Amino acid sequence: MKKHNFSAGPCILPPSVFEDAALAVKDYDNSGLSLLEISHRSKAFVQVMERARELSLELLGLKDKGYKALFLQGGASLEFLMVAYNLLEKKAAYLNTGTWSSKAIKEAKLFGEVVEVASSKDANFNYIPKNYTVPPNVDYFHCTSNNTIFGTQLKSFPDSNVPLVCDMSSDIFSRSLDFSKFDLIYAGAQKNMGPAGTTLVVVKEEILGKVSREIPSMLDYKVHIGKDSMFNTPAVFPVYVSMLTLEWLKELGGIKAIEKLNNKKAELLYNEIDRNPLFEGFVPHKEDRSNMNATFNLKDDAHKENFDLLWNKANINGLNGHRSVGGYRASMYNAMPIESVQVLVEVMQELEKNA
Ligand SMILES: *Cc1c(COP(=O)(O)O)cnc(C)c1O
């Protein structure tokens, strides 16, 4: 029986996507060949790559606005350094809201000076710093839109005259934003788009080519753009599955439609976390709470054994919190149906009744 999968990543995808992907592995589009054995230079796959790139821009509302979409490898973690390699000449500004921001900062420091404009490390990253300014004399400002581990999310982004770079790995395509505010967006596929193995990069072309250092070909966004994201063999299967998920999202009505559903799911769970006397949210300020990853704890660990038993029995998977936070984390990515969240809420209510 299919589980209610609250895993933080790699994560749930729509059932129809799994089915279509399985078919393509057996026989791609009645070609007599598996998707996994066709040339990435074949017309069939070039079309897949082009469709995936086009859908990305279309869903984000960035078509014909000077942006290019790339499907690269190396995960979001490689983007931590590629961003700096391509954009950091002297000094960059970073907002530190968690583990992933901290890792991005560490890599950027290899290339130049990093100004940390604000950090929520003082409270184990359970809030989003608000009153900071982006210095005008930096090459770019970098932030993480959703902090997968801590369950916080940026609800607004600073206005500034420097390029805005954002790691959107865990909330891309989940909510409407004015994406044209951003100059470079990157996201590992495995949180809201597809299987692990590819990273979406959406970059405004005009910000590239401004650093004086030489950039190795594989790490140069301009090289990948010049080769239509086919400089070397791309991650054929992850790109194909990402394309299927993006088609699914488009048919559903795009980001606006999924956002409504995501808001409903998050509201359902957070209401229960706040109402149920046995639980408390990890993130105290409601406006900072993530709609993708809800982090919460039992007020009294005496209930832990019983709660773990109940949710396992209810066929729920992946609810344990990250080791740096503890407690529980319910990841409710795009493909999660509200029924799964309802099951979790019922388990929490059952625990309360039995307590
Ligand atoms: C998961 C995650 C990463 C790391 O992604 P990899 O693809 O494993 O390198 C980076 N940033 C955020 C916000 C994430 O959620």
Side-chain angles (χ1 to χ4, degrees), residues 8-10 74-80 99-101 103-104 142-149 167-171 186-191 196-199 293 329 333:
S77 299
L78 189 63
E79 297 316 308
F80 296 161
T99 309
W100 300 117
S101 310
K103 289 189 175 182
H142 178 285
C143 57
T144 312
S145 57
N146 185 65
N147 300 284
T148 327
I149 292 175
D167 175 1
M168 293 195 189
S169 291
S170 53
D171 68 352
Y186 61 91
Q190 72 275 20
K191 306 279 166 55
T198 190
T199 317
N293 316 92
R329 170 174 53 170
Y333 295 115

Side-chain angles (χ1 to χ4, degrees), residues 304-330:
K304 182 172 163 40
E305 203 184 321
N306 204 4
F307 183 52
D308 291 350
L309 213 76
L310 284 175
W311 62 261
N312 276 295
K313 215 175 72 188
N315 216 20
I316 284 172
N317 172 67
L319 204 63
N320 286 319
H322 189 273
R323 62 189 176 280
S324 53
V325 178
Y328 300 94
R329 170 174 53 170

Side-chain angles (χ1 to χ4, degrees), residues 4 6 63 70 74 108 110-111 175 230 237 254 303 322 338:
H4 303 288
F6 288 89
K63 244 173 117 171
L70 301 169
L110 299 171
F111 298 89
R175 58 170 169 164
M230 291 274 218
F237 187 65
H303 299 297
H322 189 273
I338 194 160

Side-chain angles (χ1 to χ4, degrees), residues 58-310:
E58 189 184 323
L59 286 163
L60 296 172
L62 294 178
K63 244 173 117 171
D64 304 320
K65 290 190 176 162
Y67 290 82
K68 292 282 191 221
L70 301 169
F71 281 89
L72 305 179
Q73 298 183 56
S77 299
L78 189 63
E79 297 316 308
F80 296 161
L81 74 97
M82 260 178 94
V83 161
Y85 224 135
N86 284 264
L87 304 177
L88 179 48
E89 180 73 13
K90 276 208 174 84
K91 194 155 83 169
Y94 278 69
L95 177 64
N96 191 357
T97 53
T99 309
W100 300 117
S101 310
S102 303
K103 289 189 175 182
I105 290 168
K106 178 171 180 255
E107 300 304 300
K109 281 181 175 165
L110 299 171
F111 298 89
E113 190 186 332
V114 170
V115 186
E116 203 175 286
V117 295
S119 167
S120 47
K121 196 171 181 197
D122 55 350
N124 198 22
F125 298 112
N126 74 355
Y127 71 100
I128 300 291
K130 304 277 157 51
N131 296 317
Y132 59 89
T133 46
V134 177
N137 61 339
V138 292
D139 298 318
Y140 62 90
F141 171 67
H142 178 285
C143 57
T144 312
S145 57
N146 185 65
N147 300 284
T148 327
I149 292 175
F150 301 95
T152 61
Q153 191 172 32
L154 268 71
K155 301 295 159 71
S156 64
F157 296 83
D159 289 306
S160 83
N161 59 350
V162 304
L164 179 55
V165 177
C166 190
D167 175 1
M168 293 195 189
S169 291
S170 53
D171 68 352
I172 187 131
F173 302 120
S174 74
R175 58 170 169 164
S176 324
L177 291 172
D178 176 6
F179 292 100
S180 67
K181 241 185 119 148
F182 300 88
D183 296 274
L184 193 153
I185 295 167
Y186 61 91
Q190 72 275 20
K191 306 279 166 55
N192 225 353
M193 203 170 14
T198 190
T199 317
L200 172 65
V201 174
V202 172
V203 58
K204 202 168 196 177
E205 264 193 293
E206 66 182 31
I207 68 165
L208 300 174
K210 298 195 172 158
V211 289
S212 54
R213 74 175 61 85
E214 266 195 77
I215 306 172
S217 310
M218 266 300 276
L219 301 179
D220 189 341
Y221 292 125
K222 284 178 80 111
V223 168
H224 290 285
I225 289 171
K227 296 288 183 186
D228 294 327
S229 202
M230 291 274 218
F231 173 67
N232 69 324
T233 317
V236 170
F237 187 65
V239 172
Y240 178 67
V241 181
S242 298
M243 184 206 78
L244 290 176
T245 311
L246 297 176
E247 290 280 16
W248 167 85
L249 180 56
K250 187 183 166 175
E251 266 168 41
L252 216 76
I255 292 179
K256 278 220 158 67
I258 204 76
E259 179 180 38
K260 272 194 204 133
L261 180 64
N262 288 335
N263 287 344
K264 273 196 196 142
K265 290 185 287 184
E267 198 185 321
L268 179 61
L269 181 57
Y270 283 119
N271 280 346
E272 180 60 19
I273 291 169
D274 293 336
R275 184 210 61 81
N276 194 316
L278 300 187
F279 291 93
E280 63 189 347
F282 173 74
V283 179
H285 304 301
K286 289 188 182 176
E287 76 272 15
D288 292 345
R289 288 174 169 179
S290 166
N291 274 6
M292 292 283 102
N293 316 92
T295 43
F296 57 100
N297 290 288
L298 279 164
K299 285 182 190 158
D300 182 350
D301 264 350
H303 299 297
K304 182 172 163 40
E305 203 184 321
N306 204 4
F307 183 52
D308 291 350
L309 213 76
L310 284 175

